[in-house]
Amino acid sequence: MKTILVTGGAGFIGCNLVRLLVDQPSVRVVNFDLLTYAASYRSIADLDGRDNYCFIRGDIRDADALARAFTEHRPTAVIHLAAESHVDRSIAGPGVFVETNVVGSYNLLEQARCYWNELDAGRREAFRLIGVSTDEVYGSLGDQGAFLESTPYDPSSPYSASKAGADHLVRAYHRTYGLPTIVTNCSNNYGPYQFPEKLIPLMIIRGLAGEPLPVYGKGENVRDWLYVSDHCQALWRVLQNGQPGRTYNIGGGQEMKNIDVVYALCDLLEAFRPAAQNAALRGKSSYRELISFVTDRPGHDFRYAIDASRIQSELGWQPEQSFTSGLQQTVRWYLDNDAWLQHILSGDYRRWIEQNYAQR
Ligand code: NAD
Ligand code: DAU
């Protein structure tokens, strides 16, 4: 039986990953998440009651809470996703990014090391800690090229700098203490349960509400998009077959200019809920008319592109979804899951958490 401690398992990627893991034979999942503004308990509520799953509301900045989780649940592996994840928030207030992403990751590594040191030889050998990170640590590309695992770190935002700090610690714990850690660096994810501050869900909800669609600068910045379930499958492969001390880039090879992503979303909204039938769009003949070019993000990285050949050749991973199929499924999911969205937009999700978890 594998017991996998997942940090951040109530967030966007985390809740998709936890769903994948609980369906694997002989896997038990311990979901350790603070339920910050970025998490809705509704994303994971249906997992309650499964006998191979448990949830802990805990803070990775709290070393004692992490120590208790290791002692009580004795994980065979850790997948570390808990983080402050939104670049614009890191520009407005970097402090919590350093506290969570750097200090929280240090706490996790340190508690993992104390626990791992006490394991017998077989369990020490089999133990894994995956640090889930981002392509943003590599900085910005020009028109050509792609990030390799050997690309030097050159982060631009407080978010990516804090993730870079965490990655360095994850690698240092392998080199210095022998802790079997692996770092993954993934490109932009999209799909179900993404918090509606990120580009794709934000454009969907604002479009449906007939509100302006804010595109930073000229919309020419490029991101390399990956459907979230493909990322989760990659992490599962890395956990099973990845080599300790190694780094794996993960990306879909689906580069798009932001403006083209927004056009594609407008066209899907038009197909699923035509502007002429949406009262919120009165006076507008199409969703594209809502696009509004706004002031650019400071330090906005121009282009990201991932060279994922290592994970493809060494671990046999390939993305299943194209950007076209993934985007269609995503828009459909948001249209079909209005209750999940409204729970967030109304603020009820915060009230629910405070009523059910009177903590800190
Ligand atoms: P998210 O913001 O949706 O979720 C983050 C989760 O972490 C939330 O559930 C939140 O409650 C939890 N959390 C935050 N602070 C915590 C703390 N102090 N203690 C415990 N839990 C805490 O993020 P996401 O988009 O799902 O990203 C997950 C991870 O993957 C992050 O580490 C992020 O850097 C990385 N990543 C994200 C993307 C992407 O496109 N979203 C791409 C590559 C890598
Ligand atoms: O590359 C991986 C990273 O992708 C992850 O590490 C981050 O956690 C995740 O948030 C994401 O970062 P981005 O900054 O690329 O994602 P975001 O959705 O915020 O923005 C995507 C692009 O769209 C970016 O170029 C900025 C632009 N944008 C974003 C928003 C929110 C807009 O033009 N308008 C917007 O309103």
Side-chain angles (χ1 to χ4, degrees), residues 72-92:
E72 281 170 28
H73 296 281
R74 307 197 56 73
T76 54
V78 178
I79 308 183
H80 174 39
L81 299 107
E84 288 293 334
S85 71
H86 194 48
V87 173
D88 293 327
R89 283 181 190 260
S90 83
I91 295 166

Side-chain angles (χ1 to χ4, degrees), residues 42-58:
R42 280 207 171 194
S43 306
I44 46 169
D46 60 305
L47 299 172
D48 277 346
R50 286 187 65 145
D51 57 10
N52 66 338
Y53 172 80
C54 84
F55 178 76
I56 301 170
R57 187 182 191 198

Side-chain angles (χ1 to χ4, degrees), residues 109 164 255 285:
L109 286 160
E255 286 183 54
S285 62

Side-chain angles (χ1 to χ4, degrees), residues 121-161:
R123 284 176 63 101
R124 276 165 67 94
E125 175 90 22
F127 185 82
R128 295 288 181 273
L129 187 148
I130 316 290
V132 178
S133 190
T134 168
D135 58 358
E136 299 202 9
V137 293
Y138 297 124
S140 185
L141 290 166
D143 288 322
Q144 302 296 317
F147 299 130
L148 290 162
E149 285 83 356
S150 56
T151 302
Y153 275 28
D154 186 20
S156 301
S157 70
Y159 162 69
S160 51

